[in-house]
mmCIF file of all heavy atoms in Angstrom:
data_model
loop_
_atom_site.group_PDB
_atom_site.id
_atom_site.type_symbol
_atom_site.label_atom_id
_atom_site.label_comp_id
_atom_site.label_asym_id
_atom_site.label_seq_id
_atom_site.Cartn_x
_atom_site.Cartn_y
_atom_site.Cartn_z
ATOM 1 N N GLU A 1 118.954 114.215 61.932
ATOM 2 C CA GLU A 1 118.186 113.056 62.272
ATOM 3 C C GLU A 1 117.029 113.426 63.197
ATOM 4 O O GLU A 1 116.860 112.827 64.271
ATOM 5 C CB GLU A 1 119.089 111.953 62.862
ATOM 6 C CG GLU A 1 120.022 111.352 61.921
ATOM 7 C CD GLU A 1 120.819 110.222 62.487
ATOM 8 O OE1 GLU A 1 120.628 109.869 63.670
ATOM 9 O OE2 GLU A 1 121.653 109.686 61.736
ATOM 10 N N ARG A 2 116.217 114.328 62.763
ATOM 11 C CA ARG A 2 114.998 114.712 63.522
ATOM 12 C C ARG A 2 113.788 113.969 62.922
ATOM 13 O O ARG A 2 113.611 113.997 61.641
ATOM 14 C CB ARG A 2 114.765 116.205 63.462
ATOM 15 C CG ARG A 2 115.814 117.042 64.201
ATOM 16 C CD ARG A 2 115.501 118.495 64.157
ATOM 17 N NE ARG A 2 115.417 119.007 62.811
ATOM 18 C CZ ARG A 2 116.458 119.467 62.080
ATOM 19 N NH1 ARG A 2 117.667 119.502 62.625
ATOM 20 N NH2 ARG A 2 116.254 119.931 60.880
ATOM 21 N N GLU A 3 112.966 113.379 63.752
ATOM 22 C CA GLU A 3 111.827 112.637 63.269
ATOM 23 C C GLU A 3 110.871 113.498 62.486
ATOM 24 O O GLU A 3 110.129 112.972 61.640
ATOM 25 C CB GLU A 3 111.102 111.949 64.379
ATOM 26 C CG GLU A 3 111.847 110.708 64.895
ATOM 27 C CD GLU A 3 110.976 109.840 65.750
ATOM 28 O OE1 GLU A 3 109.870 109.406 65.304
ATOM 29 O OE2 GLU A 3 111.428 109.557 66.872
ATOM 30 N N SER A 4 110.902 114.820 62.686
ATOM 31 C CA SER A 4 110.055 115.712 61.910
ATOM 32 C C SER A 4 110.580 115.968 60.449
ATOM 33 O O SER A 4 109.869 116.459 59.640
ATOM 34 C CB SER A 4 109.921 117.089 62.655
ATOM 35 O OG SER A 4 111.189 117.663 62.807
ATOM 36 N N ASP A 5 111.805 115.571 60.197
ATOM 37 C CA ASP A 5 112.408 115.711 58.873
ATOM 38 C C ASP A 5 111.731 114.725 57.915
ATOM 39 O O ASP A 5 111.665 113.535 58.244
ATOM 40 C CB ASP A 5 113.905 115.485 58.952
ATOM 41 C CG ASP A 5 114.600 115.670 57.619
ATOM 42 O OD1 ASP A 5 114.363 114.847 56.712
ATOM 43 O OD2 ASP A 5 115.369 116.656 57.521
ATOM 44 N N PRO A 6 111.254 115.178 56.778
ATOM 45 C CA PRO A 6 110.601 114.239 55.826
ATOM 46 C C PRO A 6 111.477 113.091 55.403
ATOM 47 O O PRO A 6 110.961 111.938 55.206
ATOM 48 C CB PRO A 6 110.236 115.150 54.633
ATOM 49 C CG PRO A 6 110.233 116.506 55.172
ATOM 50 C CD PRO A 6 111.248 116.556 56.298
ATOM 51 N N GLN A 7 112.759 113.292 55.229
ATOM 52 C CA GLN A 7 113.642 112.211 54.842
ATOM 53 C C GLN A 7 113.738 111.138 55.959
ATOM 54 O O GLN A 7 113.717 109.973 55.663
ATOM 55 C CB GLN A 7 115.060 112.755 54.531
ATOM 56 C CG GLN A 7 116.036 111.642 54.074
ATOM 57 C CD GLN A 7 117.408 112.189 53.749
ATOM 58 O OE1 GLN A 7 117.604 113.379 53.663
ATOM 59 N NE2 GLN A 7 118.352 111.282 53.611
ATOM 60 N N VAL A 8 113.806 111.595 57.182
ATOM 61 C CA VAL A 8 113.858 110.645 58.312
ATOM 62 C C VAL A 8 112.545 109.889 58.376
ATOM 63 O O VAL A 8 112.550 108.680 58.565
ATOM 64 C CB VAL A 8 114.120 111.405 59.635
ATOM 65 C CG1 VAL A 8 113.985 110.467 60.825
ATOM 66 C CG2 VAL A 8 115.522 111.977 59.613
ATOM 67 N N ALA A 9 111.441 110.553 58.176
ATOM 68 C CA ALA A 9 110.130 109.913 58.201
ATOM 69 C C ALA A 9 110.015 108.841 57.100
ATOM 70 O O ALA A 9 109.531 107.732 57.327
ATOM 71 C CB ALA A 9 109.008 110.936 58.012
ATOM 72 N N ARG A 10 110.554 109.127 55.903
ATOM 73 C CA ARG A 10 110.556 108.113 54.833
ATOM 74 C C ARG A 10 111.458 106.915 55.208
ATOM 75 O O ARG A 10 111.050 105.749 54.966
ATOM 76 C CB ARG A 10 110.998 108.730 53.524
ATOM 77 C CG ARG A 10 109.946 109.623 52.900
ATOM 78 C CD ARG A 10 110.281 110.012 51.455
ATOM 79 N NE ARG A 10 111.605 110.595 51.274
ATOM 80 C CZ ARG A 10 111.924 111.872 51.418
ATOM 81 N NH1 ARG A 10 110.993 112.725 51.773
ATOM 82 N NH2 ARG A 10 113.151 112.292 51.194
ATOM 83 N N ALA A 11 112.619 107.183 55.757
ATOM 84 C CA ALA A 11 113.503 106.073 56.174
ATOM 85 C C ALA A 11 112.848 105.232 57.256
ATOM 86 O O ALA A 11 112.859 104.005 57.175
ATOM 87 C CB ALA A 11 114.826 106.648 56.650
ATOM 88 N N LEU A 12 112.258 105.895 58.218
ATOM 89 C CA LEU A 12 111.631 105.144 59.323
ATOM 90 C C LEU A 12 110.418 104.331 58.759
ATOM 91 O O LEU A 12 110.177 103.220 59.246
ATOM 92 C CB LEU A 12 111.109 106.091 60.368
ATOM 93 C CG LEU A 12 112.207 106.800 61.220
ATOM 94 C CD1 LEU A 12 111.620 107.847 62.115
ATOM 95 C CD2 LEU A 12 113.041 105.763 61.946
ATOM 96 N N ALA A 13 109.724 104.853 57.761
ATOM 97 C CA ALA A 13 108.592 104.073 57.176
ATOM 98 C C ALA A 13 109.130 102.776 56.507
ATOM 99 O O ALA A 13 108.488 101.736 56.633
ATOM 100 C CB ALA A 13 107.862 104.931 56.171
ATOM 101 N N VAL A 14 110.267 102.872 55.842
ATOM 102 C CA VAL A 14 110.893 101.669 55.302
ATOM 103 C C VAL A 14 111.226 100.660 56.379
ATOM 104 O O VAL A 14 110.880 99.485 56.309
ATOM 105 C CB VAL A 14 112.118 102.003 54.412
ATOM 106 C CG1 VAL A 14 112.861 100.720 53.995
ATOM 107 C CG2 VAL A 14 111.756 102.860 53.238
ATOM 108 N N CYS A 15 111.858 101.164 57.401
ATOM 109 C CA CYS A 15 112.274 100.305 58.528
ATOM 110 C C CYS A 15 111.089 99.615 59.210
ATOM 111 O O CYS A 15 111.118 98.463 59.518
ATOM 112 C CB CYS A 15 113.033 101.088 59.582
ATOM 113 S SG CYS A 15 114.637 101.638 59.052
ATOM 114 N N ARG A 16 110.039 100.378 59.396
ATOM 115 C CA ARG A 16 108.868 99.878 60.143
ATOM 116 C C ARG A 16 108.132 98.786 59.416
ATOM 117 O O ARG A 16 107.366 98.033 60.039
ATOM 118 C CB ARG A 16 107.951 101.020 60.543
ATOM 119 C CG ARG A 16 108.607 101.862 61.653
ATOM 120 C CD ARG A 16 107.718 102.972 62.137
ATOM 121 N NE ARG A 16 108.400 103.749 63.136
ATOM 122 C CZ ARG A 16 108.456 105.047 63.152
ATOM 123 N NH1 ARG A 16 107.860 105.775 62.256
ATOM 124 N NH2 ARG A 16 109.153 105.633 64.129
ATOM 125 N N ARG A 17 108.345 98.675 58.123
ATOM 126 C CA ARG A 17 107.698 97.550 57.382
ATOM 127 C C ARG A 17 108.642 96.372 57.187
ATOM 128 O O ARG A 17 108.331 95.384 56.522
ATOM 129 C CB ARG A 17 107.170 98.032 56.053
ATOM 130 C CG ARG A 17 108.195 98.358 54.975
ATOM 131 C CD ARG A 17 107.578 98.632 53.649
ATOM 132 N NE ARG A 17 108.566 98.616 52.615
ATOM 133 C CZ ARG A 17 109.109 99.699 52.083
ATOM 134 N NH1 ARG A 17 108.724 100.902 52.481
ATOM 135 N NH2 ARG A 17 110.028 99.604 51.197
ATOM 136 N N CYS A 18 109.811 96.465 57.810
ATOM 137 C CA CYS A 18 110.863 95.486 57.621
ATOM 138 C C CYS A 18 110.728 94.314 58.602
ATOM 139 O O CYS A 18 110.573 94.504 59.812
ATOM 140 C CB CYS A 18 112.232 96.129 57.799
ATOM 141 S SG CYS A 18 113.629 95.040 57.455
ATOM 142 N N ARG A 19 110.841 93.109 58.075
ATOM 143 C CA ARG A 19 110.742 91.952 58.949
ATOM 144 C C ARG A 19 111.996 91.624 59.738
ATOM 145 O O ARG A 19 112.001 90.767 60.642
ATOM 146 C CB ARG A 19 110.256 90.737 58.154
ATOM 147 C CG ARG A 19 111.196 90.255 57.111
ATOM 148 C CD ARG A 19 110.564 89.173 56.270
ATOM 149 N NE ARG A 19 111.597 88.337 55.734
ATOM 150 C CZ ARG A 19 111.330 87.179 55.187
ATOM 151 N NH1 ARG A 19 110.131 86.680 55.150
ATOM 152 N NH2 ARG A 19 112.333 86.463 54.681
ATOM 153 N N VAL A 20 113.121 92.288 59.452
ATOM 154 C CA VAL A 20 114.316 92.088 60.196
ATOM 155 C C VAL A 20 114.728 93.338 60.996
ATOM 156 O O VAL A 20 115.909 93.499 61.331
ATOM 157 C CB VAL A 20 115.499 91.606 59.301
ATOM 158 C CG1 VAL A 20 115.159 90.251 58.676
ATOM 159 C CG2 VAL A 20 115.814 92.629 58.213
ATOM 160 N N LEU A 21 113.760 94.154 61.307
ATOM 161 C CA LEU A 21 113.957 95.418 62.043
ATOM 162 C C LEU A 21 114.769 95.188 63.308
ATOM 163 O O LEU A 21 115.748 95.896 63.568
ATOM 164 C CB LEU A 21 112.622 96.061 62.341
ATOM 165 C CG LEU A 21 112.660 97.398 63.113
ATOM 166 C CD1 LEU A 21 111.460 98.222 62.668
ATOM 167 C CD2 LEU A 21 112.623 97.178 64.571
ATOM 168 N N LEU A 22 114.430 94.239 64.081
ATOM 169 C CA LEU A 22 115.094 94.039 65.354
ATOM 170 C C LEU A 22 116.541 93.517 65.182
ATOM 171 O O LEU A 22 117.413 93.956 65.923
ATOM 172 C CB LEU A 22 114.319 93.049 66.248
ATOM 173 C CG LEU A 22 112.944 93.579 66.719
ATOM 174 C CD1 LEU A 22 112.227 92.540 67.543
ATOM 175 C CD2 LEU A 22 113.122 94.862 67.491
ATOM 176 N N ALA A 23 116.784 92.703 64.173
ATOM 177 C CA ALA A 23 118.154 92.250 63.923
ATOM 178 C C ALA A 23 119.004 93.411 63.469
ATOM 179 O O ALA A 23 120.144 93.579 63.896
ATOM 180 C CB ALA A 23 118.145 91.135 62.879
ATOM 181 N N CYS A 24 118.453 94.267 62.626
ATOM 182 C CA CYS A 24 119.170 95.427 62.152
ATOM 183 C C CYS A 24 119.466 96.395 63.319
ATOM 184 O O CYS A 24 120.592 96.833 63.434
ATOM 185 C CB CYS A 24 118.290 96.192 61.119
ATOM 186 S SG CYS A 24 118.973 97.716 60.468
ATOM 187 N N ARG A 25 118.487 96.680 64.123
ATOM 188 C CA ARG A 25 118.675 97.524 65.286
ATOM 189 C C ARG A 25 119.728 96.948 66.215
ATOM 190 O O ARG A 25 120.611 97.651 66.684
ATOM 191 C CB ARG A 25 117.377 97.738 66.041
ATOM 192 C CG ARG A 25 117.488 98.651 67.259
ATOM 193 C CD ARG A 25 116.184 98.743 68.009
ATOM 194 N NE ARG A 25 115.167 99.303 67.144
ATOM 195 C CZ ARG A 25 113.857 99.095 67.348
ATOM 196 N NH1 ARG A 25 113.430 98.390 68.366
ATOM 197 N NH2 ARG A 25 112.987 99.616 66.505
ATOM 198 N N SER A 26 119.655 95.678 66.509
ATOM 199 C CA SER A 26 120.586 95.026 67.370
ATOM 200 C C SER A 26 122.008 95.129 66.831
ATOM 201 O O SER A 26 122.977 95.427 67.573
ATOM 202 C CB SER A 26 120.248 93.579 67.597
ATOM 203 O OG SER A 26 119.019 93.447 68.295
ATOM 204 N N TRP A 27 122.165 94.869 65.550
ATOM 205 C CA TRP A 27 123.474 94.958 64.925
ATOM 206 C C TRP A 27 124.049 96.421 65.083
ATOM 207 O O TRP A 27 125.178 96.590 65.447
ATOM 208 C CB TRP A 27 123.399 94.596 63.442
ATOM 209 C CG TRP A 27 124.750 94.668 62.761
ATOM 210 C CD1 TRP A 27 125.664 93.646 62.700
ATOM 211 C CD2 TRP A 27 125.322 95.810 62.154
ATOM 212 N NE1 TRP A 27 126.793 94.120 62.053
ATOM 213 C CE2 TRP A 27 126.656 95.409 61.681
ATOM 214 C CE3 TRP A 27 124.899 97.115 61.916
ATOM 215 C CZ2 TRP A 27 127.496 96.278 61.070
ATOM 216 C CZ3 TRP A 27 125.781 97.975 61.258
ATOM 217 C CH2 TRP A 27 127.024 97.543 60.822
ATOM 218 N N ALA A 28 123.210 97.408 64.786
ATOM 219 C CA ALA A 28 123.671 98.765 64.846
ATOM 220 C C ALA A 28 124.085 99.149 66.264
ATOM 221 O O ALA A 28 125.073 99.836 66.458
ATOM 222 C CB ALA A 28 122.584 99.695 64.341
ATOM 223 N N ILE A 29 123.333 98.708 67.245
ATOM 224 C CA ILE A 29 123.628 98.982 68.659
ATOM 225 C C ILE A 29 124.971 98.253 69.092
ATOM 226 O O ILE A 29 125.831 98.848 69.641
ATOM 227 C CB ILE A 29 122.479 98.603 69.590
ATOM 228 C CG1 ILE A 29 121.306 99.569 69.346
ATOM 229 C CG2 ILE A 29 122.893 98.622 71.059
ATOM 230 C CD1 ILE A 29 119.991 99.146 69.965
ATOM 231 N N GLU A 30 125.040 96.986 68.704
ATOM 232 C CA GLU A 30 126.223 96.171 69.071
ATOM 233 C C GLU A 30 127.493 96.749 68.424
ATOM 234 O O GLU A 30 128.583 96.723 69.034
ATOM 235 C CB GLU A 30 126.044 94.748 68.655
ATOM 236 C CG GLU A 30 125.001 93.999 69.488
ATOM 237 C CD GLU A 30 124.600 92.651 68.889
ATOM 238 O OE1 GLU A 30 125.173 92.226 67.860
ATOM 239 O OE2 GLU A 30 123.631 92.065 69.382
ATOM 240 N N GLN A 31 127.384 97.263 67.206
ATOM 241 C CA GLN A 31 128.512 97.785 66.481
ATOM 242 C C GLN A 31 128.813 99.244 66.839
ATOM 243 O O GLN A 31 129.824 99.797 66.346
ATOM 244 C CB GLN A 31 128.281 97.659 64.969
ATOM 245 C CG GLN A 31 128.143 96.236 64.484
ATOM 246 C CD GLN A 31 129.378 95.401 64.815
ATOM 247 O OE1 GLN A 31 130.491 95.789 64.557
ATOM 248 N NE2 GLN A 31 129.127 94.237 65.402
ATOM 249 N N GLY A 32 127.932 99.855 67.586
ATOM 250 C CA GLY A 32 128.119 101.269 67.933
ATOM 251 C C GLY A 32 127.947 102.205 66.711
ATOM 252 O O GLY A 32 128.580 103.231 66.633
ATOM 253 N N GLU A 33 127.074 101.765 65.768
ATOM 254 C CA GLU A 33 126.845 102.545 64.582
ATOM 255 C C GLU A 33 126.292 103.930 64.971
ATOM 256 O O GLU A 33 125.225 104.019 65.587
ATOM 257 C CB GLU A 33 125.827 101.841 63.679
ATOM 258 C CG GLU A 33 125.581 102.500 62.367
ATOM 259 C CD GLU A 33 126.818 102.680 61.497
ATOM 260 O OE1 GLU A 33 127.514 101.671 61.269
ATOM 261 O OE2 GLU A 33 127.114 103.829 61.133
ATOM 262 N N ASP A 34 127.040 104.973 64.680
ATOM 263 C CA ASP A 34 126.682 106.324 65.185
ATOM 264 C C ASP A 34 126.255 107.245 64.083
ATOM 265 O O ASP A 34 126.391 108.465 64.185
ATOM 266 C CB ASP A 34 127.864 106.878 65.967
ATOM 267 C CG ASP A 34 127.461 107.999 66.873
ATOM 268 O OD1 ASP A 34 126.296 107.982 67.365
ATOM 269 O OD2 ASP A 34 128.261 108.951 67.094
ATOM 270 N N ALA A 35 125.743 106.707 63.016
ATOM 271 C CA ALA A 35 125.280 107.531 61.901
ATOM 272 C C ALA A 35 124.120 106.781 61.203
ATOM 273 O O ALA A 35 124.101 105.547 61.116
ATOM 274 C CB ALA A 35 126.363 107.826 60.908
ATOM 275 N N GLY A 36 123.156 107.529 60.765
ATOM 276 C CA GLY A 36 122.099 106.983 59.973
ATOM 277 C C GLY A 36 120.931 106.374 60.775
ATOM 278 O O GLY A 36 120.964 106.275 61.968
#
């Protein structure tokens, strides 16, 4: 999960255009999601 990795960059690009980004992030933090 290095930001310099092309796969990570593509995933982050999808996330950054998402209108529910903050809800997704909050859910992952609240659930302790430790992968992905």
